[in-house]
Structure formats: structure tokens, C-alpha cells
Amino acid sequence: MIDIALKDFRAKKGRAAMCIVGVMACVLLIGTVNLVLYEMESGLEGDLGTVHGKLYFEKNGTGFPPSGSIISENLGNEVMNRSEVNPDKSTKALFMPIQNDNFSGYTMIVGLTPGREETFIENVKNVTVEGKGSLVGESDNSVIIGSQVAENFNATVGSTITVSNHKYKVIGIIKQIGTGWPLTIDNSIVMQLSHAQSVMEMPNLISTVIIVPQESIDVAEIDLQNAYPSYSIYSQNDTRKTLEDNLSQIKIFFNMISAFIFAVSVILIMIVMMMSVKEKTKEIGTMRAIGTRKRSILALIIYESLILSLIGGIIGIILMSPTYNMLGLLMGAKEVNFLSFYIPTPILIQILMIVFIIGTFSGLLPAYIATRISPIHALRYE
Amino acid sequence: MKDLVKGQELWKTYKLDSTEVHALRGLNITVDEGEFVSIMGPSGSGKSTLLNMIGGLDTPTKGKLYIGGKETSSMKDKELTKMRAKDIGFIFQTFNLLPALSVLDNVEFPMRNLTNGEKLDKSSRIQRAEECVDIVGLTPRIKYLPAKLSGGERQRVAIARALVNNPKFILADEPTGNLDSEATANIINLLHEVNDQGTTVIMVTHDLDTAKDTKVMKIRDGVIES
Ligand SMILES: Nc1ncnc2c1ncn2[C@@H]1O[C@H](COP(=O)(O)OP(=O)(O)OP(=O)(O)O)[C@@H](O)[C@H]1O
Ligand SMILES: [Mg+2]
């Protein structure tokens, strides 16, 4: 029956094209929406991934990034000396956001102990640094900057940037890791803690201690929390919560859009298939008259809608990457490779499932109606 | 077998709103194997109704109908469908070819309707279809779509399609109703050839000429007159 379904399309090209375009549009829309969501999620993971495997000791109620927290350096030293804390890897850190005049958004000054840059930069995602990744042995005003900062200040390794009337020498640039939200690695200027304190005029003050635990992270978290009940210990569990809080609304909204588009395309194909069945009443009746079983009629119509939606789906998938890139271009991305074809596997699987479901669902009712066609009625049908 | 078709006291009643239309009123009919029967009668007398019933497309409201010895009014749709596929060849006034399929595919199509043990493989089906296309003399047109054929040629395709499963009998409802006299003669000749090979033919016609050399049954107001 598949060959017959295919021959039917050749005879009715316009209708087939309409279905194909419908599914294609659906796949394109749902796919792009999901791709945006996926990129956002993965970007946020990058932004918050720096917390992975570490604890941030900070003033109660601060969260991440810890820029709203101010504690004394003495308290920081006390925490650094605790047995739960690995003193060779942990670091006191000062986070200070700076509003910029010549572009929207913030830049985050991050001061930390030279040699402990990894503690902040290390991420669930792979981090690569162009130039130097360590401030050890460099001049006071040396900085390692995030990709977004490099872009905003048009900086390259070795160049000098001026931020709030202070000059800094760029010795390293961290490749893009997140979305730039909310003021994390991509927007950071990493420098020596002492230099950050003097530039910010905050002597003996820090925001947080970034703790690499000696042993179990969970035990360290509980112990520290018990020891300092009026401070908070921010961990990767809190990260996940932050991530979910930030995404859940958007996710619900995007899924609603997807569901709507899905419903529209199911209904569209269903209507077209109904029209097709109605139009083919005489043919289907003839088939039934000469002994075609109901089951075969059912299969014929479902094959038709399935094949149409598969073709539409495949075209949609092929066009998804260029569309997404185009969207990126419209939203201000600087370089876009239209030839790149990138769809994450989970999204590809999801799309294929959607296409399959559209094909089957939209075919079911028309197919059922087709099996109900009475041959006698169809033979009289003009 | 002697009685291929045997109908006893066949009634067909249609209810339209409150009025009842009796298309058949206690009709009796017997068709023997190998016969060529022409059913004639005025418009609305019940010819198509009777033919559809014999073809297992419709069931009598009252009475008993035996096809090949089997009572059909108690058959389920599934069994009727199987019987139509295997034992009956249909020819319609309006040809009713499948427009998306070529001549060959149209003729091959009914063989797909056979089930399990009876269904041939694809290459045997095509071979058999080519044979039947050859019988009706359309081998040069075998790749054509129906839209490119004349009425007479289309009806020849329909005859090939009706023959392809070696049915017990062929039912033809005004097969020449849409054809000119030359095409009509051609089709009737073909049906006679088919009948000579042993296939029973039951045909509805308005035209005395086409009924020549056949067993004529006259139907009027839902009963057979002679
Ligand atoms: N589905 C139906 N509902 C109601 N009445 C019907 C139906 N089918 C047939 N009839 C009626 O039954 C009668 C017989 O119809 P039938 O089609 O068998 O006539 P016929 O002898 O084939 O006529 P014709 O030569 O015009 O084809 C007609 O009066 C017709 O109106
Ligand atoms: Mg009739």
C-alpha cells in the first residue's frame, strides 16, 4: 500500500505540497523554539557551572553571583583555616559589578588570590583560555577576561583596557562558556584580590570564600553551615534550583507555544487528509467493492499522512540550523556560519517523535472515516 | 456447480423519512455456472440493487441469497469483502479505475486484496496482470494512466482487472452505458470471449442489441417477469 500512497501524491501534488509545507513549518518553529531553549539551558549551565564541586561562603541571602555579599577578610581567613577547607585550592574572592557607559550590561570585577584562578574559572563545561591562565608573577594590573568583556572592550591578549578610569593589561581571554547571564565568567575581569580591593576602595573586605572541600562536599556544607548559621553556603544544589527557577517559566511558555503549533499542524493535515478522503470517496468505494479490506484502506490513509509529515519533517530539520543561525544574526550575533549543521541529539529525537505523532494522529480520523465509506454509496457518488 | 447464484423471495426496502421504497419485491433468480445473463428493465426497476446484492455489496432486507452455495445475508463484512476479492469481478458503467495508477497497476491491484495463502508474490502478480492486459489488447498502453485512455480502452482495462483473480463470475452494471456503438461491440465481444472461457457473466443493460446471444431476464418493479 505504500507504493500506492506514493503514486497518489504524484497525482495530487498541490495537496501533498501543502501538507509538507505545514509540517515543515511546524518542525521549523518547534525545533527553533526548542533549540533556543536548549542553548539557553546549556548557557545557564555554563554560567552556573563554576559552582560545580565548590562551595561559596557568603553573607546570608546573597545567592549567585555573590556580588551582593560583603564580609571581612578576617572572617575569610578564619574560614580558609577550617579543616573542611582545602587551603591550597580555595580562595578568598571579591566580586564587584561595574556598570559601563558605552554598552549595556555589567562587567564583573573578580579579585582572587593569584594561583587560584582555576578555582573560579573551572566549570562543568570545558574551559579554554587564550594567553595566560594564571596571574602568578604578573604585574598588579594584569587581568584575565571573559569573552564578553573581550568583545565589549575590543580587547586581545596583550592589549590594555580602561575600565572606570583604571587601566588593565589583558594577559588571557577565557573562551565563551555561558550566556553572559548573570554577570559570570563571560563578563568577568579576573585580577589579584589585593588589586581589586584597592581599585574598588574596599580594603580588608571580600565577598566570598570559594571553597574546595578537603573531603566530602556535602559534609563540608553541613559542617560549615552549622559553624556559621548566620551565613550561607551556596552549592551546586542551589545552582540547580537557580537554574530551574530561571527556566521554568520560559519552559512552560515555550512548551505552550510548541503544543499550540503541534495542534495546529495536526489539525491542518487532518483537514487536508479529510478533504483527500472525501475527494477519493469514489476510488475508496471502488477499492472496497473489488475486495480491498478495511484494514488496507486504513493503512493507505495513515501511510499517506505519515509519508507527508516525514517528508515535511525532514525538510524542516534540514532548514532548522540555517533558520536558527538567521535568528541569531537578527538578534545581533556577529559571526554566523550558515553551512554549519548542528542539532543536539535530544532535540533531533524529540522532533522525529513529533513528526511521527503528527503523521499518525492526523491520519487516524480520516482513515477511520475512509473505512466507513460504503461501496454502494460510493459507486452512486457523482 | 449448477446454481452459482440463487435468490429466493428477495426484498430490498429503503426507508426514506416515513415512506418506504421497495427496490426488490420478492424477486427470484437462478444463474447457472457458465451462463451469460443479461438483466433488462426500465430505469428504477431494481437492476442495480439486484446486481449489488449478488456482488456482496448489499444484503437483502428479506429473503435468501446463495452465492456458490453459501448464504450471504448472514455474512459479516469481512467475509463479504473476501468473497468480492476472490470470487467476483466487477465492471462499472463509469469504469472506476484508480486514477493515480497505470493500466498495469490497476489490473494488478485486485491481486493485492487476496489474503495469505492466495496472494502471489510481486513478480507473479505483474506477470499475471500483463497476461490480462494482453487479453484485452492493451499491451501498447500498459504504462498509461487512465486519464489518457478513451472510454472503450478504460472499460477494457476494467475487464482485465475483473479477470485477474480468475473470479467465478463477472458482474457488469451497464458496462457499455457510456460508450459509442463501436466500443460497445468491442466490449460485448470481449465479455463473450471471457464467457466462452467458462466465466459466468451477469450484465445489466438497456440495449437489446448488446443482450443478443445471452440469457435475458426482464425485471419490472422489483420482480423478474420472464
Ligand atoms: N440508497 C437508496 N435509498 C433509497 N432508495 C434507493 C436507494 N438505492 C436505490 N433506491 C431506489 O430503488 C429503486 C431501484 O434502484 P436501482 O438503482 O436498482 O434501479 P435500476 O434498475 O438500476 O435503474 P437504472 O436503470 O436507472 O440504473 C429506485 O427507485 C431507487 O430510487
Ligand atoms: Mg442501475
Side-chain angles (χ1 to χ4, degrees):
Chain A
M1 278 298 179
I2 288 185
D3 54 332
I4 299 206
L6 285 172
K7 282 169 184 159
D8 261 1
F9 300 146
R10 270 208 323 242
K12 290 272 152 49
K13 292 195 190 79
R15 201 169 51 205
M18 193 171 146
C19 281
I20 289 172
V21 170
V23 177
M24 189 199 77
C26 164
V27 164
L28 219 50
L29 285 165
I30 294 185
T32 311
V33 160
N34 277 295
L35 211 53
V36 169
L37 198 62
Y38 184 88
E39 289 290 318
M40 256 162 95
E41 197 164 354
S42 130
L44 278 180
E45 259 168 18
D47 288 333
L48 295 164
T50 182
V51 178
H52 187 83
K54 289 160 245 172
L55 298 170
Y56 278 62
F57 181 93
E58 56 195 43
K59 203 175 84 185
N60 208 357
T62 315
F64 191 87
S67 52
S69 159
I70 299 175
I71 58 181
S72 76
E73 195 167 351
N74 286 338
L75 177 60
N77 290 334
E78 192 185 314
V79 171
M80 285 289 286
N81 286 329
R82 286 187 62 91
S83 62
E84 300 92 345
V85 179
N86 181 339
D88 300 326
K89 292 198 168 160
S90 307
T91 178
K92 296 172 284 184
L94 178 63
F95 283 72
M96 262 304 141
I98 300 173
Q99 172 106 53
N100 296 101
D101 300 330
N102 28 352
F103 54 85
S104 65
Y106 292 77
T107 299
M108 181 76 84
I109 299 281
V110 180
L112 34 75
T113 311
R116 310 286 162 82
E117 301 80 5
E118 284 260 301
T119 310
F120 171 61
I121 296 172
E122 201 184 64
N123 198 285
V124 278
K125 294 185 149 190
N126 266 341
V127 182
T128 42
V129 181
E130 184 194 341
K132 290 180 181 160
S134 169
L135 297 162
V136 176
E138 302 291 332
S139 59
D140 276 359
N141 69 340
S142 296
V143 291
I144 301 167
I145 59 177
S147 59
Q148 193 61 47
V149 180
E151 201 180 314
N152 290 341
F153 289 92
N154 216 350
T156 51
V157 174
S159 66
T160 302
I161 57 174
T162 307
V163 184
S164 301
N165 300 323
H166 295 279
K167 284 195 186 326
Y168 301 98
K169 191 177 135 215
V170 177
I171 62 163
I173 296 175
I174 307 158
K175 291 267 166 63
Q176 180 167 359
I177 198 142
T179 56
W181 175 98
L183 307 177
T184 44
I185 295 186
D186 294 329
N187 277 307
S188 295
I189 301 181
V190 179
M191 65 185 74
Q192 298 185 13
L193 175 60
S194 53
H195 194 66
Q197 284 169 332
S198 86
V199 168
M200 294 282 112
E201 291 166 11
M202 297 177 71
N204 301 321
L205 292 174
I206 56 172
S207 310
T208 181
V209 180
I210 308 177
I211 297 164
V212 175
Q214 280 287 22
E215 282 160 19
S216 154
I217 188 162
D218 294 328
V219 173
E221 185 176 357
I222 294 166
D223 284 358
L224 284 166
Q225 191 66 78
N226 287 339
Y228 299 95
S230 56
Y231 292 83
S232 39
I233 318 295
Y234 190 88
S235 72
Q236 65 194 56
N237 294 333
D238 303 312
T239 311
R240 191 160 304 123
K241 198 174 167 310
T242 310
L243 211 120
E244 275 159 16
D245 284 353
N246 275 283
L247 279 178
S248 65
Q249 297 289 328
I250 301 174
K251 255 185 175 161
I252 291 172
F253 179 67
F254 275 22
N255 285 336
M256 265 166 56
I257 295 180
S258 293
F260 181 73
I261 299 168
F262 173 78
V264 167
S265 56
V266 166
I267 292 170
L268 174 82
I269 300 196
M270 197 184 285
I271 291 173
V272 175
M273 291 306 296
M274 296 259 218
M275 278 162 50
S276 156
V277 165
K278 176 97 181 114
E279 216 173 284
K280 288 198 293 196
T281 298
K282 189 171 167 184
E283 284 169 66
I284 293 168
T286 304
M287 289 186 191
R288 293 278 293 126
I290 64 177
T292 304
R293 284 167 297 165
K294 282 186 175 172
R295 211 200 310 167
S296 305
I297 302 286
L298 201 76
L300 178 67
I301 305 297
I302 291 179
Y303 281 149
E304 276 197 35
S305 64
L306 204 54
I307 293 169
L308 286 178
S309 62
L310 277 180
I311 296 173
I314 288 165
I315 298 176
I317 288 170
I318 291 170
L319 291 180
M320 214 164 97
S321 241
T323 309
Y324 181 71
N325 287 334
M326 180 97 93
L327 211 68
L329 205 63
L330 291 175
M331 309 242 282
K334 296 244 160 52
E335 64 190 87
V336 162
N337 181 4
F338 277 101
L339 295 177
S340 76
F341 183 81
Y342 167 68
I343 298 173
T345 322
I347 292 192
L348 193 67
I349 292 171
Q350 189 188 4
I351 294 285
L352 285 174
M353 268 168 58
I354 287 174
V355 167
F356 192 78
I357 294 172
I358 291 177
T360 332
F361 261 52
S362 56
L364 276 179
L365 186 62
Y368 174 73
I369 291 172
T371 64
R372 305 279 297 172
I373 290 173
S374 129
I376 306 178
H377 179 260
L379 293 173
R380 291 186 192 269
Y381 184 85
E382 298 292 324
Chain B
M1 189 191 300
K2 234 180 130 304
D3 300 344
L4 189 58
V5 177
K6 191 176 178 66
Q8 294 173 330
E9 280 292 308
L10 295 176
W11 284 79
K12 185 73 195 181
T13 307
Y14 294 107
K15 286 200 174 67
L16 287 177
D17 300 325
S18 55
T19 61
E20 290 191 338
V21 178
H22 301 288
L24 300 181
R25 302 160 181 265
L27 178 144
N28 292 303
I29 185 174
T30 309
V31 178
D32 290 342
E33 209 166 83
E35 281 189 319
F36 193 141
V37 172
S38 294
I39 298 172
M40 302 190 72
S43 186
S45 55
K47 304 183 294 295
S48 296
T49 306
L50 175 63
L51 212 67
N52 288 340
M53 216 175 261
I54 295 173
L57 294 170
D58 209 350
T59 47
T61 316
K62 241 183 357 187
K64 292 218 178 298
L65 178 64
Y66 300 88
I67 306 290
K70 273 186 260 171
E71 222 269 289
T72 61
S73 53
S74 58
M75 280 187 181
K76 292 221 175 62
D77 180 75
K78 221 174 164 178
E79 290 171 273
L80 287 171
T81 305
K82 198 171 170 189
M83 181 182 85
R84 294 199 297 268
K86 193 167 166 291
D87 298 333
I88 306 174
F90 285 90
I91 299 171
F92 309 97
Q93 180 175 353
T94 49
F95 321 128
N96 293 38
L97 300 177
L98 303 177
L101 303 189
S102 69
V103 167
L104 183 69
D105 290 339
N106 260 290
V107 175
E108 187 254 354
F109 183 80
M111 288 188 275
R112 295 163 181 257
N113 295 333
L114 297 180
T115 41
N116 306 335
E118 287 149 348
K119 193 167 178 174
L120 299 172
D121 62 56
K122 178 109 192 167
S123 64
S124 318
R125 292 208 303 263
I126 290 185
Q127 200 185 338
R128 170 66 184 151
E130 282 169 351
E131 258 171 56
C132 292
V133 173
D134 189 50
I135 291 172
V136 299
L138 280 179
T139 305
R141 302 272 188 278
I142 201 157
K143 292 249 155 64
Y144 280 45
L145 288 177
K148 289 191 177 165
L149 300 176
S150 72
E153 287 169 334
R154 286 184 212 186
Q155 202 59 307
R156 274 146 70 189
V157 177
I159 292 175
R161 178 175 70 180
L163 286 176
V164 80
N165 281 342
N166 288 312
K168 292 202 176 109
F169 55 95
I170 284 182
L171 297 178
D173 195 347
E174 302 192 39
T176 59
N178 283 357
L179 300 178
D180 65 17
S181 55
E182 196 185 322
T184 296
N186 183 304
I187 294 299
I188 297 299
N189 278 341
L190 257 176
L191 287 177
H192 275 286
E193 274 173 38
V194 170
N195 180 241
D196 291 343
Q197 301 294 316
T199 310
T200 310
V201 178
I202 305 174
M203 170 175 80
V204 169
T205 180
H206 275 117
D207 180 12
L208 256 178
D209 247 16
T210 61
K212 210 169 64 187
D213 297 330
T214 68
K215 178 174 173 181
V216 175
M217 295 184 184
K218 287 214 170 103
I219 188 169
R220 180 181 287 276
D221 293 335
V223 289
I224 295 210
E225 282 190 321
S226 62

